[in-house]
Amino acid sequence: MTLRQLRQIASDLGVSLYSRKSKEELVEAISTRQVEEGEGRSLERIEAEMAPAPRPAAETRVVFLPRDPQWAYVFWDISEDDRSDALHAGASQLCLRVADVTGLAGGSSHPHTLQEVVVDSHATEWYLPVPLSDRDYRVELGYRKGGGGGWISLAFSSVARVPSLHPSEQILDQFVPFSLDAFPSASTSLPTPAEAVDSGLHERLYQSATSQWRRLGRGSEAFHEIDATAGLEGGSAFSASGAGPWASGRSASGIGGVGSRQRSFWLVADAELIVYGATDPAARLSIGGEEVPLSADGTFRVQVPFRDGQQLYPIEALAADGEQKRSITMEFRRSTPEDNSNPASQAVAEWF
């Protein structure tokens, strides 16, 4: 009996504070009250006279949920019609069949991978051991026939991937090592899938992509070049940190209502551009006139500086016989609206 049903009986018998009692306390209180009033019907008899609780019509289905690389959780429902039909057809044992379907389609499974697990006929959930991790599995719910044997299939689950037991050893990204304290130079190395690559390729590609814009004096590249060629050290119009003794609004003598504090601070940030793609492994690939090595499968991946201004990268692939050609031109633009940064080597003490 449910708690609500017990409370209704307790209310009819006049049990006090029935809404605050647990099921065990209600059963004890009702039994005591029945003895006091000479009630002939026990709780067991009252429960037997009650109509069974209505159950929603179930739809036959099974759900397979991997829990971890070694165990999976399966739950299911069987409609009364399907259960009755299976019993009339000679069903004897309820079973779960686990099939490895990795890389297969059309409902097929790998041979010799089908495992059958016998479960309780009235159960609606089960934990299954997973044969191998990092594989795709599907579960079939059905009955094993008695006597001469046979199988009655009821439902199939969706295919689910069991996670790998070990971390993946595949590393997809390769990054260019560079220092934020120094301006990128041609000596920066570029790791690529090719066996031998000129270490200055990425810088040459950048110089080629920005040459026309730098001649027009556009972008922050012009400021980098002016600063590098003029040799401005102590006489620059800008301080290394972008702040001086007057940045805090205090006078040089330090007179003010707040005690002076002095500390150095710094920040660096930069960005790189990744250009990647693939073509015929036997083809010749060039970006901005610079030949780029291809991997064995025809893929390529280069990382170039991505500084302020406009950059143009014409990519061209030429077939091994020179009779076919494909090309694409990519244009990128970067701007830095605010730059109040400086490397740690140029950090100076500031008043604030």
Side-chain angles (χ1 to χ4, degrees):
M1 300 175 67
T2 65
L3 182 61
R4 177 175 294 182
Q5 291 171 330
L6 289 172
R7 285 176 176 174
Q8 182 62 46
I9 296 175
S11 176
D12 296 340
L13 293 174
V15 176
S16 61
L17 302 177
Y18 64 88
S19 61
R20 302 182 184 180
K21 299 181 183 296
S22 64
K23 291 189 69 173
E24 292 76 9
E25 292 172 339
L26 281 173
V27 170
E28 183 178 356
I30 290 172
S31 300
T32 303
R33 193 74 172 179
Q34 286 176 329
V35 171
E36 293 175 353
E37 296 187 359
E39 174 68 36
R41 294 187 309 167
S42 64
L43 277 177
E44 290 79 3
R45 185 175 176 181
I46 295 175
E47 183 176 8
E49 294 175 355
M50 288 183 174
R55 295 182 59 186
E59 179 183 355
T60 302
R61 62 170 186 158
V62 58
V63 179
F64 174 68
L65 296 175
R67 193 197 71 170
D68 55 44
Q70 297 176 317
W71 289 92
Y73 174 65
V74 181
F75 65 92
W76 61 88
D77 286 319
I78 304 176
S79 68
E80 291 301 327
D81 292 341
D82 289 341
R83 189 186 299 272
S84 177
D85 293 343
L87 293 177
H88 282 92
S92 60
Q93 290 181 325
L94 183 63
C95 301
L96 298 173
R97 285 184 170 182
V98 186
D100 188 337
V101 296
T102 306
L104 301 179
S108 57
S109 61
H110 290 282
H112 312 299
T113 61
L114 189 65
Q115 294 191 8
E116 188 173 293
V117 179
V118 178
V119 298
D120 188 88
S121 59
H122 297 288
T124 58
E125 59 182 356
W126 210 263
Y127 278 99
L128 292 177
V130 177
L132 289 174
S133 63
D134 198 22
R135 307 285 292 179
D136 294 330
Y137 291 96
R138 184 186 64 236
V139 171
E140 180 183 5
L141 175 68
Y143 280 101
R144 169 68 65 184
K145 287 185 178 182
W151 176 255
I152 303 174
S153 179
L154 296 179
F156 288 90
S157 73
S158 299
V159 175
R161 183 80 175 186
V162 174
S164 174
L165 185 61
H166 305 286
S168 174
E169 298 180 357
Q170 185 179 13
I171 301 177
L172 298 178
D173 293 325
Q174 292 180 318
F175 296 94
V176 176
F178 68 98
S179 173
L180 292 173
D181 294 335
F183 183 80
S185 63
S187 61
T188 306
S189 60
L190 175 71
T192 70
E195 295 181 357
V197 181
D198 185 358
S199 61
L201 174 61
H202 74 296
E203 183 65 25
R204 293 201 310 273
L205 288 175
Y206 171 77
Q207 296 297 333
S208 173
T210 59
S211 59
Q212 57 177 315
W213 315 114
R214 287 188 290 109
R215 283 197 297 270
L216 296 176
R218 298 166 65 179
S220 64
E221 183 71 15
F223 290 97
H224 286 294
E225 293 180 351
I226 292 175
D227 185 67
T229 55
L232 300 178
E233 296 178 358
S236 174
F238 303 97
S239 65
S241 63
W246 305 98
S248 64
R250 296 176 52 85
S251 64
S253 60
I255 299 175
V258 181
S260 62
R261 290 187 294 170
Q262 194 175 21
R263 186 173 62 196
S264 61
F265 196 54
W266 60 280
L267 167 70
V268 289
D270 209 339
E272 285 196 333
L273 182 65
I274 300 176
V275 180
Y276 65 94
T279 184
D280 189 283
R284 294 182 58 186
L285 182 83
S286 63
I287 302 180
E290 290 283 346
E291 186 171 351
V292 177
L294 297 173
S295 299
D297 58 355
T299 59
F300 63 91
R301 179 189 180 95
V302 293
Q303 295 173 238
V304 294
F306 191 30
R307 306 171 194 140
D308 279 6
Q310 195 166 2
Q311 303 181 31
L312 198 67
Y313 290 97
I315 305 172
E316 184 177 278
L318 185 64
D321 56 8
E323 296 183 359
Q324 291 176 291
K325 181 170 65 175
R326 295 291 184 272
S327 63
I328 181 173
T329 299
M330 298 182 179
E331 183 178 353
F332 305 94
R333 185 190 302 271
R334 171 187 158 178
S335 62
T336 306
E338 180 183 355
D339 187 2
N340 183 24
S341 60
N342 59 293
S345 60
Q346 298 180 10
V348 296
E350 304 177 52
W351 294 96
F352 64 99

